[in-house]
Amino acid sequence: MLKFLQIILSITVISLAGYGLITEDFKFQPYMMLFLGLMMLVMGLREFQKGQKGNCWLSIVVFIFILFVSIKSFLLK
């Protein structure tokens, strides 16, 4: 289930990033950052299930940082 969710989130992030690069319109960048953060959270949860606690906590810290940056981007928009 988490692997499927990670694939969906990664496709979404790649699509939004590709749209921004091709059209040079970065209005969806905060959404891309939000989905990237969610993808990092899912990766952290998968690492937790595997028993790799170090990678798990690193991914969760990165998720919190990206969440903060995306919320800041939404507020500045």
Side-chain angles (χ1 to χ4, degrees):
M1 178 67 181
L2 287 177
K3 185 175 183 176
F4 177 71
L5 186 59
Q6 183 181 353
I7 291 170
I8 296 298
L9 288 171
S10 62
I11 290 171
T12 305
V13 168
I14 291 170
S15 300
L16 290 173
Y19 172 80
L21 286 174
I22 292 171
T23 64
E24 296 181 5
D25 181 18
F26 300 106
K27 64 183 175 185
F28 294 120
Q29 188 172 11
Y31 298 106
M32 181 194 69
M33 294 297 292
L34 179 66
F35 287 121
L36 182 65
L38 292 173
M39 187 178 74
M40 291 302 297
L41 178 63
V42 170
M43 287 173 59
L45 293 174
R46 287 186 65 205
E47 293 295 323
F48 183 75
Q49 285 180 343
K50 292 178 187 176
Q52 297 178 345
K53 305 277 194 245
N55 291 339
C56 166
W57 289 114
L58 179 64
S59 295
I60 290 176
V61 168
V62 170
F63 159 70
I64 293 169
F65 176 72
I66 292 175
L67 183 67
F68 174 74
V69 169
S70 67
I71 290 173
K72 192 82 165 171
S73 298
F74 278 118
L75 293 177
L76 293 176
K77 192 173 176 185

